[in-house]
Amino acid sequence: TQTPFEYVQDKRLEYAMAVIQKGDPELKGIAHVCSFSDIASFSKAFKRKFGVPPSSIQKGTKKKPFFTGYCE
């Protein structure tokens, strides 16, 4: 089972994955919008959940303007 923190973090990471797959080029901005304190902690959590760093997902997508939405 997950703690409440783990559940929320999983949802934030799933949202981040969706944003990256849509082509958002700003990992730092995605990390901030999804409530990570810095890009290093975001990348570490992302890799722990998905098995790959966010930059490897990003490389396979077209670049689009920075997404300014909020994590749900």
Side-chain angles (χ1 to χ4, degrees):
T1 62
Q2 291 181 314
T3 65
F5 173 80
E6 291 168 336
Y7 175 81
V8 171
Q9 184 166 345
D10 274 356
K11 293 300 177 188
R12 290 176 176 157
L13 290 168
E14 289 167 8
Y15 180 79
M17 172 66 92
V19 173
I20 292 168
Q21 288 177 328
K22 288 181 182 179
D24 193 322
E26 296 289 333
L27 291 180
K28 185 176 179 181
I30 295 169
H32 176 74
V33 167
C34 291
S35 301
F36 285 88
S37 59
D38 56 52
I39 190 71
S41 60
F42 169 67
S43 293
K44 184 177 178 181
F46 191 97
K47 186 172 182 178
R48 190 178 318 121
K49 177 165 178 62
F50 297 111
V52 293
S55 58
S56 69
I57 303 297
Q58 182 186 44
K59 289 177 185 175
T61 61
K62 289 184 176 181
K63 304 297 183 199
K64 294 181 183 176
F66 174 67
F67 179 79
T68 57
Y70 297 95
C71 286
E72 297 177 348

